[in-house]
Amino acid sequence: MSYSATPYMLDHGSGYGLVSRGFHWLMALLLTWQFLTALLHVIDRQRAVSAMAWSTHHDVGFLLFVLVLLRGLWGLSNAGRRPAHAGRLGRLASLGHLALYALMAYVPAVALLRQFGSARAFSPFGIPLMKGGGEKIGWMTELGSASHALAAWALLALIGGHLAMVMVHHFVWKDETAARMVG
Ligand code: HEM
Ligand code: HEM
């Protein structure tokens, strides 16, 4: 009898495979931490716990940016195999997922752009990504300051909508949607 791990790694008609689930839950975990660091920063940035949490915000944000790019590429390569979203509600769900991707990419991207424009060095996890120095680039810092936080809170609201829809599927319509990513 031959055994192949491939079906469990790839997405299929009735659910997401191991890789897609790995991306989904790892990013859900890191995003939860990221919003927690932002919330503590807003509430009282002077407290030791807030400062400790905030000290990870830039690095984890960079990691989230790398992960969303990889996840997007993986999603594209699995697009034909993913569970179908049929009908008007299905199209709305696909649009919602697309909006989640757009914001998950835009939020860290515009922060990294601002970091670059600020001409300050940036070495996430010790990787010398931006060496700093040189001229400040005004439009980059302005765009980042005008939209990073705003887009991030919009992302949080959209995640709230996503969670609400998963709950409606599971507890009201009692269908198999939650099992695609969970069970
Ligand atoms: C998906 C990733 C990220 C999320 C969800 C996120 C979330 C947030 C949120 C909600 C705020 C608003 C806090 C407030 O209202 O004061 C914020 C602020 C901030 N973030 Fe992020 N962030 C991410 C990535 C990054 C990255 C990659 C950097 C830097 C390289 C960064 C740097 C900052 C800075 C400097 C602020 C304070 C200034 C501002 O409000 O724009 N963030 N972030
Ligand atoms: C930070 C939090 C979250 C984000 C950003 C997020 C994002 C997404 C995205 C983009 C998809 C589309 C499939 C993909 O490309 O991976 C998806 C699917 C899904 N998510 Fe989440 N998710 C989050 C948290 C959760 C949580 C906490 C649950 C469960 C309670 C959940 C349950 C699901 C389910 C069941 C699907 C499949 C839906 C379908 O195929 O129509 N998600 N999620």
Side-chain angles (χ1 to χ4, degrees), residues 144-175:
S145 297
S147 64
H148 173 67
L150 201 67
W153 294 123
L155 170 60
L156 186 62
L158 205 61
I159 290 171
H162 177 61
L163 283 187
M165 281 316 295
V166 174
M167 296 303 146
V168 169
H169 274 285
H170 194 63
F171 293 109
V172 183
W173 298 332
K174 299 186 193 314
D175 63 21

Side-chain angles (χ1 to χ4, degrees), residues 2 12 26-27 37 41 51 69 73 78 103 108 120 127 158 160:
S2 72
H12 45 89
L26 177 63
M27 287 192 70
T37 67
H41 188 70
L69 294 185
L73 286 176
N78 272 264
L103 284 174
R120 280 187 309 229
I127 305 161
L158 205 61

